Amino acid sequence: MIITLKKNTPKEEVDKLASQFESQGLRINLSPGENYVVFGLIGDTSRLDDRTIAANKWIENVQRIAAPYKLANRMFHPEDSVIDVAGIKVGGNEKIVIIGGPCSVEGDEPLCNIAKEVKDAGAKMLRGGAYKPRTSPYAFQGMGYEGIKCLNHARDLTGLPVVSELMSADKLDEFVENVDLIQIGARNMQNFDLLKAVGKINKPVLLKRGLSATIEEWIMSAEYIMANGNPNVILCERGIRTFEKYTRNTLDLSVVPIIKEKTHLPIIIDPSHATGDWKLVESMSLAAVAAGADGLIIEVHDHPECALSDGAQSLKPEKFKTLVDKARKVALAIGREI
Ligand code: PEP
Ligand code: MN
């Protein structure tokens, strides 16, 4: 971190600041210039808050050199993390993982049918929400524990590991027991108590990007989980809110190379929530694979027109299969496999 002090800062103020940083375990490289005194802080500055430091009236400017995240930072962990989800590896040079399934679990038979269909099409995991974060309190809220039992049954039938969203730490034990990849939804990306709770287990966590989160805020949420002891984090871009109305959200595909440069964590794309429109899901999926994503999570429903949530963005199983077949060719073109 580089701190520039104002012209004419009294010497006692410079000394006071120096001892303040030294007492925090940092070393100081002091360069007194003609107009400014510049402090280079050497050491772990991740606990410092630049805006609080800048509140000192003698400070002209504070500039962070190192990112505020450490555990997620590729600088301190150059090799890709590969996350093992019940035997399915995500990240690194492993195969690109396709996850398919309904937005919400709607019943045992419908879920088991979709599970078989997505498996036949090439999916390696099954998704399905049992506890749903809905904008309206009158909308379908999910089947709750009954839905979790359906996921267990579908896993028994197909062998596919299951992904489901955890909305409250109250249900943590239920999820640890029954869910292979615990999803933290976009709306909970900064629910810090929930992040701390999933940080205390070692089940893999799928951390979705918040609706209006910057990439750094998203990585800091991953850092929360990791700092509490769970290194098994997979990031998921699901579109961000912009002024655009032709899509539900705007898919920010640039995050794929950025996340890979800044962190060592796997990144997967959710083209369903990112577009809100089944007609756009295939092209965005192919683009995501071409961009280097480690996986795709896609909503699939046998009768999207009757779905209890997110029917407009759900693919029928045959369309999902066509998508996976095309994605396989794109993967080969960039030296990966599905
Ligand atoms: C979902 O996966 O169904 C979901 C609600 O996702 P998001 O948190 O990305 O909106
Ligand atoms: Mn959904």
Side-chain angles (χ1 to χ4, degrees), residues 102-104 127 132 248 273 299 309-310 313:
C103 175
S104 300
R127 64 149 288 145
K132 295 302 300 179
R248 181 175 179 188
H273 293 89
E299 289 184 337
S309 60
D310 287 351
Q313 65 197 35

Side-chain angles (χ1 to χ4, degrees), residues 71 83 182 195-205 222-233:
L71 299 170
I83 310 299
I182 300 179
L195 299 178
K196 286 180 195 167
V198 293
K200 300 214 165 75
I201 56 171
N202 58 20
K203 275 256 157 130
V205 176
E223 187 81 7
Y224 253 93
I225 300 171
M226 299 172 87
N228 278 278
N230 187 352
N232 302 308
V233 179

Side-chain angles (χ1 to χ4, degrees), residues 102-104 127-129 131-134 165 183-188 208-209 211 236-239 248-249 270 273-274 297 299 309-310 313:
C103 175
S104 300
R127 64 149 288 145
Y131 297 90
K132 295 302 300 179
R134 304 304 302 279
E165 176 168 353
Q183 176 174 322
I184 299 296
R187 291 156 191 82
N188 273 316
K208 288 197 156 194
R209 181 178 182 185
L211 275 69
C236 177
E237 160 69 32
R238 44 77 73 210
R248 181 175 179 188
N249 291 293
D270 172 348
H273 293 89
I297 180 165
E299 289 184 337
S309 60
D310 287 351
Q313 65 197 35

